[in-house]
Amino acid sequence: VTKIAVPTFENETLEPRLAVLVTNAVIKQLQVDGTYQIVNRDQADAVLEAKISDVDKSQWRAVRSNTLRTSELLVRLRTDYKLKDSAGTQIHQGRVLGESYLVLDPNWQTSERQAMEEAAQRIAATIVSEISDGW
């Protein structure tokens, strides 16, 4: 396998635009790694299919004076992936967790989106490492 197609991942969560964020992170990581060439599905030796199955956000730290108010948030993304050859036979599969911690500021939506990007990059690094180092 020298050429891989990476279609947009499936998003089973309610988080908007998460599939494109994680897919792009994986493609960029594959380009940085250089082991495989990214091509269209019809030219590929293998296809990397994945679905984002869960987003978990939980309180990591609270404000000292008010334990119900969050000061830091933990964001976890869970992704299941399959690498299939051009005939559709499964070559490799796995489940990857990506985590990120964020300090909440007044613009918490921007902070949360940045945490999602960091978690996506961690997922991408793990997936690419697993498929590049052999299965």
Side-chain angles (χ1 to χ4, degrees), residues 72-103:
E72 278 189 56
L73 197 65
L74 170 63
V75 176
R76 280 192 191 111
L77 302 177
R78 185 173 64 221
T79 303
D80 299 304
Y81 71 91
K82 294 177 184 175
L83 186 65
K84 297 180 179 181
D85 66 12
S86 56
T89 306
Q90 185 172 305
I91 300 171
H92 182 67
Q93 72 175 9
R95 173 174 283 170
V96 179
L97 276 138
E99 293 183 342
S100 180
Y101 305 91
L102 72 123
V103 177

Side-chain angles (χ1 to χ4, degrees), residues 14-38:
L14 296 176
E15 194 68 39
R17 296 181 299 279
L18 187 59
V20 174
L21 182 74
V22 177
T23 305
N24 286 342
V26 170
I27 290 171
K28 287 178 187 175
Q29 190 65 35
L30 281 165
Q31 290 171 335
V32 167
D33 183 76
T35 304
Y36 301 105
Q37 181 182 0
I38 309 298

Side-chain angles (χ1 to χ4, degrees), residues 39-110:
V39 295
N40 293 329
R41 188 182 288 257
D42 57 338
Q43 300 171 335
D45 300 327
V47 178
L48 178 63
E49 297 175 347
K51 66 179 176 180
I52 305 157
S53 55
D54 191 33
V55 174
D56 181 39
K57 302 171 193 172
S58 60
Q59 184 181 45
W60 182 248
R61 289 201 172 111
V63 176
R64 285 184 182 224
S65 59
N66 183 356
T67 57
L68 296 177
R69 186 170 179 199
T70 302
S71 66
E72 278 189 56
L73 197 65
L74 170 63
V75 176
R76 280 192 191 111
L77 302 177
R78 185 173 64 221
T79 303
D80 299 304
Y81 71 91
K82 294 177 184 175
L83 186 65
K84 297 180 179 181
D85 66 12
S86 56
T89 306
Q90 185 172 305
I91 300 171
H92 182 67
Q93 72 175 9
R95 173 174 283 170
V96 179
L97 276 138
E99 293 183 342
S100 180
Y101 305 91
L102 72 123
V103 177
L104 292 179
D105 64 1
N107 189 351
W108 64 271
Q109 284 127 345
T110 302

